[in-house]
Amino acid sequence: MDLELFGWNAVLAEHFASLHRGDPSLVAARVVCGYREQYHVWSEIGELTARVSGRMMHAAASRADYPAVGDWVALQPRPNEGVGTIHAVLPRRSAFMRQASSGTTEAQVVAANVDTLFLVSAMDQDLNPRRIERYLTLVWECGADPVIVLNKADACPDAAGPVKDVEAIAAGVPVYAVSAVTGAGLDELQRYLLPGVTVALLGSSGVGKSTLINRLLGEERLKIGAVRDDDHRGRHTTTHRELLLIPCGALMIDTPGMRALQL
């Protein structure tokens, strides 16, 4: 695998060089998804399943020290077995973090090394400017560039009104009205979907993140669910974070919908 397709660059190579000199058996890899203590990674020798080393686990001070989706890691592979051991996480260029859903004050890394964050909201009764403000606060702190995507424009008779309302509370942040169902407005997002660039989608359940990614992928790869009629909220059809390579060469991180967003 050509790591440059997944966002590898000279800065990452410099960070990795010192680790590789200390242990020539290590290779660079990017975390695609994680399930509890097991990770799926892309590396120059192919796709592997990986776990963190005992030493790394012992040294971790919090959950934020463990690999997250989008992270670049130093991996000791065992290609014949299709597995590997993660020994270190390379310095993150950006990290979108929130309070862990367990209710503790511990920080959780939602997505790492993201260039652009699409903040997705639906242009229906669930459009909440205050929630968008909270998302923006976190995005500015994480080091990525925010873009607000107002989905379901096909269900809104006058899209100009909601766009104007959101622009008023998000000065300087691009705001686009799109429809993942009809494809309207999606051409405007192509300027952010460049080869090797990582984009993460964030938003509440039911705003159409999975439908949007399916549209960009050109296939029904992600499961989607119906929105309840009473409150226009959706169920959590995305149950984990995953890094996806779309046909234009950009990388997208799909995330589960967030009902509670603690700063």
Side-chain angles (χ1 to χ4, degrees), residues 33-233:
C33 59
Y35 305 92
R36 296 182 183 274
E37 298 177 359
Q38 185 169 287
Y39 302 89
H40 182 66
V41 301
W42 286 329
S43 73
E44 61 187 16
I45 59 176
E47 300 181 21
L48 299 170
T49 299
R51 293 178 179 272
V52 299
S53 68
R55 177 178 294 181
M56 183 177 173
M57 191 180 301
H58 179 73
S62 69
R63 291 175 61 177
D65 293 327
Y66 281 82
V69 173
D71 265 328
W72 286 94
V73 299
L75 180 82
Q76 188 174 55
R78 300 194 298 279
N80 293 336
E81 304 173 42
V83 299
T85 302
I86 297 172
H87 288 269
V89 175
L90 272 63
R92 294 164 175 148
R93 182 175 68 258
S94 64
F96 181 83
M97 305 179 75
R98 67 165 182 173
Q99 181 177 312
S101 57
S102 60
T104 67
T105 57
E106 188 175 25
Q108 176 188 21
V109 180
V110 178
N113 297 309
V114 174
D115 299 294
T116 303
L117 274 161
F118 283 176
L119 306 182
V120 185
S121 291
M123 300 178 71
D124 57 15
Q125 296 178 19
D126 194 51
L127 183 60
N128 187 328
R130 300 290 80 78
R131 184 190 301 125
I132 293 175
E133 286 181 324
R134 293 197 297 272
Y135 274 123
L136 284 173
T137 299
L138 291 180
V139 174
W140 290 127
E141 290 178 353
C142 87
D145 296 322
V147 173
I148 297 174
V149 179
L150 301 182
N151 192 24
K152 304 187 181 182
D154 55 296
C156 183
D158 179 21
V163 169
K164 186 176 180 180
D165 292 342
V166 173
E167 286 178 337
I169 58 98
V173 178
V175 181
Y176 300 98
V178 307
S179 171
V181 173
T182 67
L186 295 186
D187 288 344
E188 296 292 330
L189 302 182
Q190 292 300 322
R191 68 189 68 186
Y192 305 101
L193 304 176
L194 304 175
V197 170
T198 301
V199 177
L201 275 71
L202 299 168
S204 303
S205 299
V207 297
K209 298 189 302 297
S210 296
T211 304
L212 180 59
I213 290 181
N214 283 340
R215 185 85 184 192
L216 295 171
L217 283 170
E219 60 176 305
E220 297 295 318
R221 180 169 173 180
L222 301 182
K223 181 181 178 181
I224 58 176
V227 176
R228 296 193 298 262
D229 293 331
D230 57 349
D231 61 4
H232 288 252
R233 291 183 179 275

Side-chain angles (χ1 to χ4, degrees), residues 3-4 7-15 72 93 115:
L3 294 185
E4 291 187 1
W8 185 254
N9 55 40
V11 175
L12 290 166
E14 184 177 351
H15 287 304
W72 286 94
R93 182 175 68 258
D115 299 294

